[in-house]
Amino acid sequence: MRFHADLHIHSKYARACSRDSDLEHLTWWALRKGVALLGTGDFTHPAWFGHLRDRLVPAEPGLFRLREDPSAALDGDAPGALPPGADAGRMRFMLSVEVATVYRRGGRTRKLHHLVYVPDFEAAEAFNRSISRYGDPASDGRPVLGLDARDLLEIVLGSGDGAYLVPAHVWTPWFGVFGSRSGFDTVEECYGDLTGHIFALETGLSSDPAMNWRVSGLDRYRLVSHSDAHSPPRIGRETTVFETSLDYFEVLRALRTGDGLAGTVEFFPEEGRYHIDGHRKCGVRMEPRETRRRGGICPVCGKRLTVGVLSRVEDLADRAEGVRPDGAAGFRSLVPLPEIVGEVLGVGPQSKKVLREIDRLVTALGPELAILEDVPVDEIEACSPPLAEAVARLRRGEVVRDAGYDGEYGAIRLFGPGGPARAGTTAPPTLF
């Protein structure tokens, strides 16, 4: 079975997250996007944990489904239309949480985020008990622990068979394992003698597999991508594609071995918030070469620039661009459908006009990810000729890129003022 999984999301109990981030809305949006397996997020938070225990029932090994059809709980307040044949009873959840660790190591403060997965509520309870000594799980859906990353991994491994940890958005300046502000140069430096239990890394929105392939020391790790959604409509903006049965342990085996890991769906990395270097308060952004020329200092205020993912990759790279390691899964770079429709219509991606148009499209053509990846262009053209042209350009990799920096999202456009975008149009490696 081939399916999209989004295993890094947050609930309404996480800081700066939507009040609609409950199981019912998360399920509805996963169906809309075409995601079959969703992380629960935030299982360490007592209120969310109780909600999960009440609303989820076991399905396939290590996975869960909703106890009841979520449409009943939405009480007719569904955000829009679902694709034909969408069935909430077939949606699956995996127990997941993002954990922050803040600690001193090597004379520096380390602030790192990690994704933790467990196959059952007993393992989740064991993990929750263990970490409660290092922070307050009730304070935030993403708990902040005064704990070394290596010791967090030890707790995960001791929580039960099948529990595992994936370093989150590994290149992010502030909270990634390789982050320029508080990270390390290697996975081994971070997790020490337990590094052998790390087998997958999350690329994050500001990097893609091709950037990671430039660092030969990462060849042994499987690369995954997820949305880090803080609201339900953000689900599926990045996903990992599996060719396995819907089974926690089959997913785990695919991540360990690569067998059954089909690849990832990615942002164009320039759209991520930390792709290049800069200082948002001063409106300054720079390519890595200019940052080095200026010694990493903002020319406006004289303070240190936030060094982004591209610079950090170049610091650690020992390969030229374009090298793909043997056996590495491929990827496809996409732009979320609301952004494309917003550009076509000349309005914001969250406008009611966009929502109505996507209702029409998914009713006629299927889930959003299918429209972007699989639906023939001539079928899209029958619904919307401008959208068909935009999707055709997207699939060819013909996009205009305006890179994000220092917490500011970048922008990817399909149309420029001069007509079809032809400059800088190297197509990314494709998954399919």
Side-chain angles (χ1 to χ4, degrees):
M1 175 182 179
R2 192 183 193 92
F3 61 91
H4 288 273
D6 187 352
L7 304 179
H8 181 181
I9 65 113
H10 289 284
S11 75
K12 62 184 179 181
Y13 294 101
R15 191 166 298 159
C17 289
S18 168
R19 293 178 300 172
D20 287 340
S21 293
D22 54 42
L23 288 174
E24 290 73 26
H25 283 89
L26 293 168
T27 296
W28 191 95
W29 280 99
L31 294 171
R32 167 96 150 203
K33 301 288 185 175
V35 173
L37 177 60
L38 203 60
T40 62
D42 303 352
F43 73 67
T44 53
H45 192 280
W48 186 241
F49 184 79
H51 184 63
L52 295 176
R53 295 215 72 159
D54 180 59
R55 296 288 291 117
L56 295 179
V57 295
E60 295 81 10
L63 302 183
F64 300 85
R65 62 174 176 82
L66 278 175
R67 188 179 298 276
E68 299 169 355
D69 187 333
S71 61
L74 289 174
D75 289 330
D77 190 30
L82 285 176
D87 181 1
R90 296 166 63 182
M91 259 296 301
R92 295 295 181 262
F93 287 91
M94 177 187 294
L95 295 173
S96 68
V97 65
E98 182 181 22
V99 175
T101 55
V102 179
Y103 60 102
R104 295 282 296 179
R105 173 103 75 81
R108 295 176 58 190
T109 298
R110 312 291 181 165
K111 299 180 180 180
L112 305 175
H113 287 180
H114 321 259
L115 300 172
V116 175
Y117 303 95
V118 295
D120 51 55
F121 284 107
E122 291 69 32
E125 284 184 322
F127 179 77
N128 292 349
R129 285 194 301 270
S130 295
I131 66 167
S132 64
R133 292 173 287 173
Y134 305 99
D136 179 11
S139 65
D140 190 0
R142 182 203 295 117
V144 179
L145 308 178
L147 182 67
D148 191 290
R150 182 261 176 216
D151 298 334
L152 174 68
L153 177 54
E154 185 173 40
I155 289 173
V156 172
L157 298 173
S159 297
D161 291 341
Y164 67 98
L165 181 151
V166 174
H169 41 69
V170 293
W171 295 98
T172 302
W174 300 98
F175 300 107
V177 166
F178 306 129
S180 61
R181 289 300 182 100
S182 60
F184 298 87
D185 287 347
T186 66
V187 179
E188 290 78 7
E189 284 182 72
C190 181
Y191 295 102
D193 60 313
L194 297 181
T195 300
H197 296 280
I198 301 293
F199 43 80
L201 306 174
E202 186 188 47
T203 59
L205 301 182
S206 294
S207 86
D208 61 18
M211 294 169 66
N212 287 263
W213 293 341
R214 294 191 61 196
V215 182
S216 63
L218 305 186
D219 289 356
R220 65 178 291 265
Y221 301 102
R222 249 52 76 181
L223 300 178
V224 299
S225 294
H226 306 300
S227 69
D228 194 2
H230 287 209
S231 66
R234 298 284 193 174
I235 287 169
R237 59 182 177 175
E238 291 200 336
T239 71
T240 302
V241 182
F242 292 94
E243 288 182 339
T244 70
S245 59
L246 272 172
D247 179 314
Y248 178 99
F249 298 96
E250 284 297 297
V251 168
L252 175 55
R253 184 181 65 83
L255 294 178
R256 287 187 182 277
T257 67
D259 183 17
L261 178 63
T264 56
V265 167
E266 306 272 342
F267 259 31
F268 286 89
E270 292 86 353
E271 192 168 4
R273 296 193 299 163
Y274 293 99
H275 184 67
I276 59 174
D277 312 328
H279 195 186
R280 180 171 48 172
K281 290 182 179 179
C282 297
V284 172
R285 61 177 172 179
M286 294 182 186
E287 295 289 336
R289 182 179 301 176
E290 179 68 7
T291 301
R292 290 179 176 83
R293 190 178 74 81
R294 293 182 176 274
I297 300 300
C298 175
V300 174
C301 69
K303 295 181 180 179
R304 184 181 175 191
L305 293 166
T306 297
V307 175
V309 167
L310 185 59
S311 274
R312 190 67 175 135
V313 169
E314 292 193 359
D315 286 343
L316 300 183
D318 56 359
R319 286 187 180 131
E321 293 181 19
V323 176
R324 178 173 175 170
D326 292 341
F331 69 98
R332 174 174 283 173
S333 297
L334 298 178
V335 178
L337 186 59
E339 294 180 20
I340 299 175
V341 172
E343 184 178 0
V344 168
L345 298 179
V347 297
Q350 299 180 42
S351 70
K352 290 182 179 180
K353 192 173 182 180
V354 167
L355 181 61
R356 287 195 299 268
E357 177 64 4
I358 295 181
D359 284 346
R360 187 176 72 86
L361 293 168
V362 300
T363 299
L365 300 172
E368 292 184 26
L369 284 167
I371 293 171
L372 296 174
E373 295 181 292
D374 303 319
V375 176
V377 170
D378 57 355
E379 293 185 23
I380 300 174
E381 188 171 20
C383 288
S384 170
L387 179 64
E389 174 61 19
V391 170
R393 294 181 185 188
L394 176 66
R395 292 179 185 178
R396 294 192 298 262
E398 296 177 358
V399 300
V400 179
R401 310 174 192 223
D402 189 15
Y405 68 104
D406 194 21
E408 188 79 23
Y409 279 109
I412 305 295
R413 303 189 309 279
L414 280 305
F415 302 97
R422 299 296 178 189
T425 60
T426 303
T430 58
L431 173 59
F432 305 118

